[in-house]
Amino acid sequence: MTPNARVLIVAAWVLAAVVVVAREALIRGPAAPDGVAEALPPLPSLERAPASFETEDTLPSALKGVTVELVEGRTGPGDRPFYVAVRSREGADHLSRQIGRSTFRLGLRTTSRDLSQYPCSSCHAGAAMIRDRPERDAEAVHRNIRPVHPGETRAQCLTCHAADDPGRLALESEETVSLDHSYRLCAQCHFPQVDSWAAGSHGKRLVAWRGRRVVAGCADCHDPHRPATVTRIPYPGPVLPDPLGGELEGGEEGQGEVQGHG
Amino acid sequence: MAERRELTFEDVLRNAGAREAQSRLERLMPDPASLSSPAPEPRDAPGGEPGCGSGSCGCGSSRSNSLFDKPLDRRGAIGAMMGALAVTTQAVGACSPASLESDEEREAKLLERDEYFKGNYRLMTPAEKAETVRRLERLAEIRTGVDASIRTDEALPDVMYGYAFNISKCKGFRNCVEACIQENNLDRESGRQYIRIFEIEDGESIGDLEHADATYGHAVPAEGHYYLGTQCFQCANPPCVYVCPVQATWQEPDGIVVVDYDWCIGCRYCMAACPYWARRFNWSEPEVPAAEVNPRQHYLGNRARKQGVVEKCTYCIQRTREGRLPACAEACPTGARVFGNLLDPDSEIRSVLEHKQVFRLKEDLGTEPRFWYFMD
């Protein structure tokens, strides 16, 4: 390295201070002369859409392809109408969502099949099939169903299912609704829960916190034939160092968190 | 192929992209003649430099050659000195033979130099924000091959975020924890987690979280227990913000407390000040496999962090400012998490606050968390 270069490098440090100060002055704006600001070339635009969120009239784009229906007779917070996701078309499952690069299953049910797809009609074709069937047949065929709803026996299918068509639900008013509208059936007994559901403190809003409010239905989370929560092994928890046992391991995030709950 | 040789001054100039520095300086100082510092005497450009004439090296591109085709005048000398400065301040990694460096490597060094000299995020003009975003995106592409999109969305008007957590509903599955890791590009190496789920025996006080179990691994929900989750509460009176000596952390108009990762000096005062153990320190460079990186990023949110800086939950600022739910609220399988706009009287969070029994953690401290717990 020549002496000349050394002088240059030393001078560079001095200049750096000048540059930084000048740049700060420029950032602050008013202190900079107008002529200087104008001399800066225009920067390329980011060519990116502005932040977009769904308006009241649009559906969150993540729910495109999912059928939503207005919940009749009940309104959400502020007397606003809301919608329940009732059925998914091909490839648009409202109960699984991608977060980051992973897909998460929403809702507690272990099965992902849509209620509307349950093939009751393959056996119960025609009218009054349930009524005509002896009880022991039902026990044999629906071995996997352990109803806890009124009666505790399998003979109580008709408490919820329509006698003429088990693919539909029978309300107390003798109206029948599709399996997708289970909230209307559930509300007959579980009205406090359904009220909370309408108000937003029970249940699950999907995708967006603003815009059109779309929520999951009762049977998205609660399996009507097996309502108890299924236990399972959770995702892994944190690795925390033991504040009392031995040395703290280097590189652990936890050193500062010992006070937390170590 | 190339043996190590002593770094010449010309190498230094090339590495540092002296021309960019020169043009930048010209813009900043329209009249360099008024500078009183003595300029080095003009000198002729050297001819063919050993190890540089080959086409493979890439540094002989026209943009740097033009500098040497003419004598260095005063202005050129300033640029040259800037270049020298950049190299001396940067890693001495630049001392590897210039011919070994790829174009990308050189570009990355230039970008890193400019990143080093940028200002505090809150002082940046929109143009400067766009510039730093462009640099960061390009750096991510060069360094990790991730095609990240970093946004700088401002807070939405008339929005103040609030969160409610139903301790009757949470079953401790930790779906929220996993979703948070995936969404926010948390360090996989150290097992970084923003959210803690505590398992507490029925009847035990929530005031005793120090002795509650956050590391349970058995099947849940466990009989006779309830679950309570903590994360950053985005306090309305945030002690972490007050103690920061360099104003690297602040509260946004929508209530989210954010960190400028490039301004944080890693003193960890904020961690000491936070009564909720919400902040995390990067003891090492966070590592996320390129295939798992979430490319939808925000400058104040889930973009790549560095070693030696503090990070925290931001209510998924990159999601919420687009109108989406935070990842934890979206992934929760039990519906225990309610998120919304506190300023909207028709929001679900307001409904919870008005109709449910709610409490907050350590309310007596006056931190005013925007995170409530409630029961069915």
Side-chain angles (χ1 to χ4, degrees):
Chain A
M1 191 182 275
T2 65
N4 205 6
R6 273 201 204 106
V7 170
L8 268 177
I9 290 175
V10 171
W13 281 102
V14 178
L15 244 156
V18 177
V19 168
V20 168
V21 169
R23 191 146 186 265
E24 287 295 314
L26 207 74
I27 290 166
R28 299 247 155 71
D34 291 343
V36 175
E38 282 169 11
L40 287 170
L43 279 149
S45 71
L46 284 179
E47 291 179 13
R48 197 172 287 159
S52 65
F53 43 82
E54 315 297 330
T55 65
E56 288 297 323
D57 300 326
T58 58
L59 197 62
S61 53
L63 285 176
K64 291 276 158 59
V66 174
T67 305
V68 300
E69 287 181 11
L70 191 66
V71 178
E72 294 166 22
R74 289 177 190 274
T75 52
D79 292 335
R80 279 188 194 169
F82 66 100
Y83 301 79
V84 58
V86 293
R87 198 179 304 120
S88 303
R89 290 195 209 107
E90 197 67 33
D93 183 1
H94 69 278
L95 286 183
S96 73
R97 292 278 296 134
Q98 193 179 4
I99 296 171
R101 298 262 174 110
S102 293
T103 304
F104 286 83
R105 180 103 197 119
L106 316 182
L108 285 171
R109 292 185 61 131
T110 49
T111 170
S112 64
R113 299 172 72 186
D114 285 305
L115 282 182
S116 57
Q117 304 299 315
Y118 271 67
C120 310
S121 56
S122 61
C123 297
H124 296 287
M129 285 294 281
I130 296 181
R131 232 176 359 227
D132 298 343
R133 288 273 174 173
E135 193 177 309
R136 61 175 184 279
D137 274 14
E139 291 203 15
V141 176
H142 294 303
R143 194 178 294 120
N144 56 330
I145 294 178
R146 296 181 297 140
V148 299
H149 277 97
E152 297 282 338
T153 78
R154 291 177 183 82
Q156 299 299 319
C157 305
L158 298 184
T159 306
C160 300
H161 290 274
D164 294 342
D165 180 4
R168 292 183 70 79
L169 301 169
L171 306 183
E172 290 296 313
S173 64
E174 300 195 350
E175 185 189 350
T176 64
V177 296
S178 89
L179 292 175
D180 290 326
H181 297 92
S182 54
Y183 63 91
R184 295 191 62 193
L185 180 88
C186 304
Q188 296 178 137
C189 301
H190 300 287
F191 44 87
Q193 282 81 0
V194 177
D195 279 349
S196 290
W197 174 71
S201 55
H202 181 119
K204 192 168 172 58
R205 183 171 177 158
L206 299 171
V207 178
W209 61 266
R210 65 180 295 167
R212 182 185 286 193
R213 180 174 170 230
V214 181
V215 301
C218 304
D220 285 342
C221 301
H222 304 285
D223 187 337
H225 296 140
R226 200 175 300 186
T229 305
V230 181
T231 60
R232 64 171 166 85
I233 300 292
Y235 280 101
V239 181
L240 300 176
D242 181 359
L244 303 176
E247 298 175 352
L248 294 174
E249 287 178 14
E252 287 287 332
E253 70 163 313
Q255 288 192 23
E257 294 172 318
V258 170
Q259 305 164 335
H261 42 78
Chain B
M1 78 185 194
E3 50 190 312
R4 290 189 74 86
R5 61 186 170 81
E6 199 184 344
L7 192 69
T8 66
F9 187 58
E10 282 73 25
D11 290 337
V12 170
L13 291 184
R14 280 187 209 97
N15 285 344
R19 191 151 179 273
E20 277 95 335
Q22 177 190 0
S23 63
R24 165 174 297 234
L25 222 83
E26 283 169 5
R27 276 182 273 141
L28 286 169
M29 301 179 182
D31 186 14
S34 65
L35 287 175
S36 57
S37 61
E41 54 180 301
R43 46 195 288 253
D44 285 333
E49 193 64 24
C52 187
S54 67
S56 65
C57 90
C59 67
S61 62
S62 59
R63 66 174 191 180
S64 56
N65 260 357
S66 60
L67 181 65
F68 300 102
D69 291 343
K70 62 175 191 237
L72 272 177
D73 58 1
R74 179 183 302 240
R75 183 174 290 186
I78 291 171
M81 285 189 285
M82 265 301 288
L85 165 78
V87 167
T88 46
T89 51
Q90 257 178 27
V92 195
C95 287
S96 64
S99 56
L100 277 184
E101 278 190 282
S102 67
D103 280 343
E104 283 199 336
E105 185 60 29
R106 193 169 304 109
E107 185 187 355
K109 279 178 181 166
L110 282 170
L111 293 171
E112 276 169 0
R113 180 199 64 189
D114 286 350
E115 276 296 288
Y116 192 83
F117 282 109
K118 75 181 177 184
N120 185 301
Y121 181 75
R122 280 189 291 178
L123 293 177
M124 288 185 196
T125 63
E128 285 172 323
K129 285 180 185 173
E131 239 186 284
T132 185
V133 161
R134 187 171 47 78
R135 285 195 297 264
L136 289 169
E137 287 177 348
R138 180 71 183 133
L139 270 174
E141 196 180 346
I142 294 173
R143 295 291 192 220
T144 61
V146 174
D147 185 16
S149 160
I150 301 174
R151 310 189 69 121
T152 54
D153 296 348
E154 301 286 328
L156 298 169
D158 300 323
V159 170
M160 180 70 74
Y161 295 114
Y163 212 123
F165 186 100
N166 189 341
I167 57 174
S168 310
K169 283 278 177 291
C170 180
K171 302 298 178 199
F173 294 131
R174 288 207 195 96
N175 279 29
C176 50
V177 175
E178 183 66 19
C180 177
I181 292 171
Q182 300 287 338
E183 169 69 27
N184 289 305
N185 299 323
L186 300 190
D187 181 26
R188 308 292 201 271
E189 189 66 26
S190 65
R192 164 84 73 250
Q193 295 180 356
Y194 288 164
I195 302 173
R196 291 276 185 274
I197 304 290
F198 293 94
E199 185 178 77
I200 307 170
E201 269 184 53
D202 284 347
E204 286 293 313
S205 163
I206 52 105
D208 199 20
L209 285 186
E210 276 86 350
H211 299 107
D213 181 13
T215 59
Y216 61 87
H218 52 75
V220 291
E223 188 82 22
H225 290 77
Y226 69 100
Y227 298 85
L228 180 145
T230 66
Q231 57 204 74
C232 175
F233 296 156
Q234 323 294 348
C235 301
N237 189 21
C240 54
V241 167
Y242 303 144
V243 299
C244 180
V246 295
Q247 299 188 41
T249 182
W250 65 89
Q251 189 156 48
E252 289 276 294
D254 53 11
I256 300 178
V257 175
V258 295
V259 180
D260 183 347
Y261 309 121
D262 294 328
W263 206 255
C264 174
I265 57 172
C267 70
R268 305 174 70 211
Y269 279 19
C270 52
M271 294 178 68
C274 175
Y276 305 110
W277 327 297
R279 287 172 172 258
R280 307 282 184 265
F281 184 71
N282 286 295
W283 291 97
S284 57
E285 178 101 17
E287 289 177 26
V288 183
E292 294 179 23
V293 171
N294 176 11
R296 294 177 76 165
Q297 300 175 1
H298 193 283
Y299 190 93
L300 301 172
N302 58 347
R303 73 182 168 101
R305 272 80 73 186
K306 302 182 291 195
Q307 183 180 16
V309 303
V310 167
E311 59 178 277
K312 64 185 279 296
C313 159
T314 60
Y315 281 175
C316 286
I317 195 168
Q318 67 279 358
R319 296 171 69 94
T320 48
R321 286 192 176 172
E322 290 180 357
R324 293 188 290 154
L325 288 168
C328 48
E330 179 148 37
C332 177
T334 64
R337 291 171 172 269
V338 178
F339 180 85
N341 181 7
L342 291 171
L343 302 184
D344 176 5
D346 297 335
S347 64
E348 291 144 314
I349 179 82
R350 284 285 291 270
S351 168
V352 168
L353 294 182
E354 281 159 26
H355 296 112
K356 297 288 181 183
Q357 297 240 358
V358 297
F359 65 89
R360 295 184 283 187
L361 280 191
K362 300 187 182 180
E363 208 155 354
D364 47 323
L365 295 179
T367 48
E368 302 288 332
R370 293 203 186 89
F371 193 103
W372 288 264
Y373 296 94
F374 71 104
M375 291 149 279
D376 275 345

